[in-house]
Amino acid sequence: MENETVSRNFIENIIDKDLADGVYDTVHTRFPPEPNGYLHIGHAKSILLNYGLAKEYNGKFNMRFDDTNPTKEKSEFVESIKEDIKWLGADWEDRLFFASDYFDQMYEAAVKLIKKGKAYVCDLTADQIREYRGTLTEPGKESPYRNRSVEENLRLFEEMKEGKYGDGEKVLRAKIDMASPNMNMRDPVIYRVAHMTHHRTGDKWCIYPMYDFAHPIEDAIEGITHSICTLEFEDHRPLYDWVVRELEYPHPPKQIEFAKLYLTNVVTGKRYIKKLVEDGIVDGWDDPRLVSIAALRRRGYTPESIKMFVELCGVSKANSSVDYAMLEYCIREDLKLKRPRMMAVLDPLKLVIDNYPEGKTEYLEAPNNMENEELGTRQIPFGRELYIEREDFMADPPKKYKRLFPGTEVRLMNAYFVTCTGYEADEDGTVRVVHCTYDPETRGGNAPDGRKVKGTIHWVEAGHAGKALVRLYENIVDEEKGVYNKEDGSLNINPNSLTEVTAYVEPALMEAKGYDSFQFVRNGYFCADFRDSKEGAPVFNRIVSLKSSFKLPKA
Ligand code: ATP
Ligand code: MG
């Protein structure tokens, strides 16, 4: 298109150049989670970035579990991660891999390095290795085991594999440069002894490859072209390149780093979430106040809204935090035209229409979405007794109040004009019932004589209303105080992050299924959830209110 300004991100620029220069003739990306927890919004960014690039360049996208560290990994996470990625819409087709499937090839790769004189078995303890490594300002010292013969190294490495040594007794190290200014290049450990059962290979191995050695091999085996990771691996890139070069892979992959996504006022650290779960502050790692992908889904976020968010964030080399309000903006935008706008009263107050026939029910037609006719219309029951929001009536209102008070006329949304005639209150002034009369000529919400009313309020008919538990959320952490406590690093918990109310809702809402979402007029967007529901009735979690504090920056 002529007027379209196509702004490419820096990764696309790199890929464009690689393709133009003939470095690669295709694009092949991957998402490589470690199955040691649930995925969160930051991972979603990585997934959509990698998958998006593969799609954009007509290339391929692999799903690979990076399960080289048997201590922390569990099969249960494998399934939840797959589910989350599918839900986000990233399709790995038939390319689902496990790094542990390559253990034999990794072992062979290590042997190859030994034979080339590029790796050696070292007997130093972990502490000694650290000591010998030097500092940022001082070069390291060579290990006394550095010059073992190829034969001896081959024998010892084999013995490591056979289980002859205990954990930590011996390691295999790359022989690079103890004086390198890059600490990662000072003879890094590439294999360690660990007598542990792996969730997939069981007890077949008692030596396991280190991440920096394993990852480039995984990429090379799968024919990955652009291995996209986050900024903390920038200093590891020379080692990545070294491994790929020394192992002489015909089509070396290229590592590219981008900045992690951080969000303000949310908790992403696994350690903290674990504590929130254990302390019973949230009801699991998919509690709607968290930003794991499962939590976002349960909250009512859509894959489209997360994609929009990730695109708005862009891809950059500089770390920064994105305002949580931007994520909220995206879900509002996504649901605005897609979802029906229904009536639900969260803080009910009885309204009686004294001139409406007792026992009568009529059905009124209402558009499902005023801005999108395609969603059609529905019939809503109407009768003599209704519920309205408590805040929509005031006995003695301030000047600018446009809703119901004695003597005024307002519109009941999609229904009639009503005029307040009085109210009943407790001794303490709490209003119990509001009385009014209606004008039968105003059916549908307009007066034939053209008279106007200042306010329109929503309602539900008392006899047919469903009773539903509604959960309202605020940030799990206290925004004012900041996420972490400055003294002890603990979380500053917001005591009001969850409010539960019993609402009256249109009968149609009681038919909602899990994850169905709606706009409740004037109250926000809500998503049906069945956790802790009573007798199978839906519980509605508020996704987001209608008010926005976020403004899209002008392009
Ligand atoms: P965490 O510590 O939050 O679990 P991680 O990097 O240890 O993150 P992995 O499972 O190792 O989690 O990561 C899988 C992929 O997701 C990696 O390529 C990683 O760089 C990427 N990733 C992780 N966190 C973020 C983030 N906040 N923003 C963007 N990408 C991320
Ligand atoms: Mg990790």
Side-chain angles (χ1 to χ4, degrees):
M1 260 189 280
E2 253 177 75
N3 296 325
E4 200 179 338
T5 35
V6 188
S7 74
R8 315 280 287 161
N9 67 47
F10 80 96
I11 299 182
E12 290 169 320
N13 289 334
I14 294 174
I15 296 178
D16 288 345
K17 185 162 187 315
D18 283 345
L19 293 174
D21 294 351
V23 179
Y24 301 108
D25 53 15
T26 177
V27 172
H28 201 149
T29 59
R30 86 287 174 262
F31 177 66
E34 198 183 341
N36 65 348
Y38 39 79
L39 299 181
H40 54 61
I41 183 82
H43 295 114
K45 173 163 184 174
S46 177
I47 293 161
L48 294 171
L49 174 63
N50 279 292
Y51 178 66
L53 288 169
K55 288 275 279 193
E56 179 185 342
Y57 290 94
N58 228 338
K60 289 183 177 140
F61 166 77
N62 287 9
M63 170 67 212
R64 181 205 310 146
F65 284 100
D66 205 335
D67 59 352
T68 53
N69 181 3
T71 38
K72 297 183 291 178
E73 293 153 6
K74 291 203 204 130
S75 312
E76 64 167 283
F77 293 125
V78 169
E79 291 314 310
S80 78
I81 289 174
K82 275 160 56 179
E83 196 183 312
D84 289 347
I85 297 174
K86 277 194 196 140
W87 178 75
L88 280 173
D91 184 4
W92 60 79
E93 296 169 359
D94 56 354
R95 289 177 306 279
L96 169 66
F97 302 110
F98 289 84
S100 54
D101 288 344
Y102 310 138
F103 280 163
D104 284 295
Q105 282 145 288
M106 290 173 189
Y107 180 80
E108 288 311 320
V111 168
K112 179 170 180 160
L113 289 184
I114 295 174
K115 286 185 177 159
K116 288 179 79 175
K118 299 284 184 174
Y120 62 96
V121 173
C122 182
D123 300 3
L124 293 180
T125 64
D127 283 341
Q128 287 169 323
I129 289 178
R130 206 170 304 122
E131 220 173 279
Y132 275 64
R133 184 169 290 140
T135 63
L136 284 174
T137 50
E138 283 165 57
K141 248 186 346 185
E142 294 191 352
S143 159
Y145 305 99
R146 196 172 200 262
N147 295 312
R148 277 176 163 153
S149 69
V150 169
E151 290 66 36
E152 190 183 6
N153 281 320
L154 285 174
R155 179 175 56 79
L156 293 173
F157 187 50
E158 168 129 24
E159 286 175 1
M160 282 168 63
K161 179 179 100 157
E162 314 270 78
K164 208 168 160 192
Y165 306 107
D167 293 5
E169 219 177 304
K170 281 186 169 39
V171 292
L172 185 71
R173 299 176 68 174
K175 193 171 183 175
I176 309 180
D177 179 6
M178 288 308 290
S180 171
N182 184 333
M183 303 280 282
N184 295 305
M185 299 297 272
R186 295 184 186 173
D187 291 9
V189 173
I190 58 176
Y191 254 97
R192 65 191 170 119
V193 177
H195 291 268
M196 274 184 290
T197 305
H198 186 278
H199 76 116
R200 293 187 89 238
T201 57
D203 293 319
K204 179 176 175 196
W205 296 92
C206 63
I207 54 171
Y208 291 96
M210 303 301 285
Y211 180 88
D212 282 342
F213 177 64
H215 206 81
I217 296 178
E218 296 157 23
D219 287 339
I221 289 173
E222 292 177 15
I224 299 304
T225 55
H226 299 86
S227 175
I228 298 166
C229 64
T230 41
L231 231 43
E232 70 273 24
F233 290 101
E234 195 164 28
D235 288 345
H236 298 241
R237 195 189 329 136
L239 179 52
Y240 184 100
D241 291 340
W242 184 91
V243 171
V244 165
R245 193 168 60 243
E246 292 300 336
L247 292 172
E248 301 162 50
Y249 286 109
H251 303 290
K254 173 182 277 188
Q255 176 180 304
I256 304 172
E257 312 86 16
F258 72 102
K260 274 196 173 180
L261 169 66
Y262 294 101
L263 272 184
T264 56
N265 295 314
V266 301
V267 184
T268 48
K270 279 176 206 146
R271 190 160 59 93
Y272 290 103
I273 292 176
K274 192 155 172 269
K275 179 123 176 48
L276 290 172
V277 174
E278 280 167 3
D279 294 354
I281 292 166
V282 297
D283 78 353
W285 48 270
D286 62 348
D287 185 289
R289 286 164 292 179
L290 301 174
V291 287
S292 64
I293 294 178
L296 290 168
R297 180 167 60 224
R298 195 175 150 209
R299 179 85 177 246
Y301 277 86
T302 56
E304 292 79 8
S305 64
I306 294 176
K307 191 156 179 256
M308 185 195 303
F309 174 69
V310 163
E311 276 165 12
L312 278 178
C313 289
V315 188
S316 127
K317 271 265 184 199
N319 276 318
S320 65
S321 276
V322 177
D323 194 347
Y324 184 75
M326 189 159 109
L327 185 59
E328 296 186 322
Y329 165 84
C330 293
I331 187 64
R332 273 190 211 99
E333 282 297 302
D334 186 45
L335 298 182
K336 195 162 69 180
L337 300 181
K338 278 194 203 165
R339 296 292 194 262
R341 302 179 180 181
M342 315 284 280
M343 295 197 285
V345 173
L346 304 190
D347 186 10
L349 174 63
K350 184 67 89 51
L351 179 74
V352 179
I353 307 172
D354 292 304
N355 63 340
Y356 193 90
E358 242 167 287
K360 175 179 170 180
T361 300
E362 69 177 307
Y363 283 84
L364 299 167
E365 184 169 81
N368 284 326
N369 188 319
M370 289 74 93
E371 293 177 64
N372 180 6
E373 272 181 25
E374 279 174 31
L375 290 190
T377 59
R378 69 183 184 285
Q379 302 288 320
I380 319 172
F382 184 84
R384 181 182 156 93
E385 298 203 351
L386 314 174
Y387 291 109
I388 61 171
E389 298 286 352
R390 183 161 288 278
E391 63 168 30
D392 286 343
F393 171 80
M394 279 184 107
D396 188 15
K399 254 213 165 102
K400 286 194 178 145
Y401 193 75
K402 294 203 179 78
R403 291 168 257 171
L404 207 54
F405 56 92
T408 48
E409 187 171 46
V410 299
R411 176 187 294 109
L412 292 176
M413 195 175 285
N414 302 312
Y416 293 98
F417 285 8
V418 290
T419 303
C420 181
T421 53
Y423 64 94
E424 296 165 36
D426 289 347
E427 272 170 24
D428 67 359
T430 308
V431 178
R432 289 293 158 207
V433 181
V434 176
H435 289 274
C436 65
T437 55
Y438 84 120
D439 175 358
E441 298 295 309
T442 57
R443 194 173 199 268
N446 288 301
D449 64 4
R451 77 180 187 279
K452 299 275 180 255
V453 286
K454 287 230 170 69
T456 299
I457 63 176
H458 65 276
W459 52 274
V460 292
E461 194 274 330
H464 292 77
K467 223 174 174 181
L469 182 68
V470 167
R471 302 190 186 111
L472 305 171
Y473 299 107
E474 286 179 18
N475 284 338
I476 188 86
V477 290
D478 192 320
E479 262 183 78
E480 313 272 286
K481 289 191 193 150
V483 178
Y484 304 106
N485 188 317
K486 286 194 184 70
E487 319 266 84
D488 61 1
S490 64
L491 290 175
N492 286 321
I493 302 288
N494 171 6
N496 305 317
S497 65
L498 170 66
T499 308
E500 293 191 325
V501 300
T502 301
Y504 285 104
V505 304
E506 278 186 44
L509 283 167
M510 298 308 278
E511 312 293 315
K513 306 278 180 300
Y515 302 144
D516 282 352
S517 57
F518 308 89
Q519 186 186 116
F520 287 0
V521 291
R522 300 168 69 215
N523 281 319
Y525 291 96
F526 290 75
C527 182
D529 179 26
F530 287 82
R531 196 82 54 91
D532 300 324
S533 86
K534 300 242 158 34
E535 288 146 24
V539 175
F540 292 98
N541 296 336
R542 178 146 72 185
I543 309 169
V544 66
S545 69
L546 296 178
K547 290 184 215 90
S548 176
S549 59
F550 176 79
K551 290 267 177 310
L552 196 61
K554 287 219 177 73

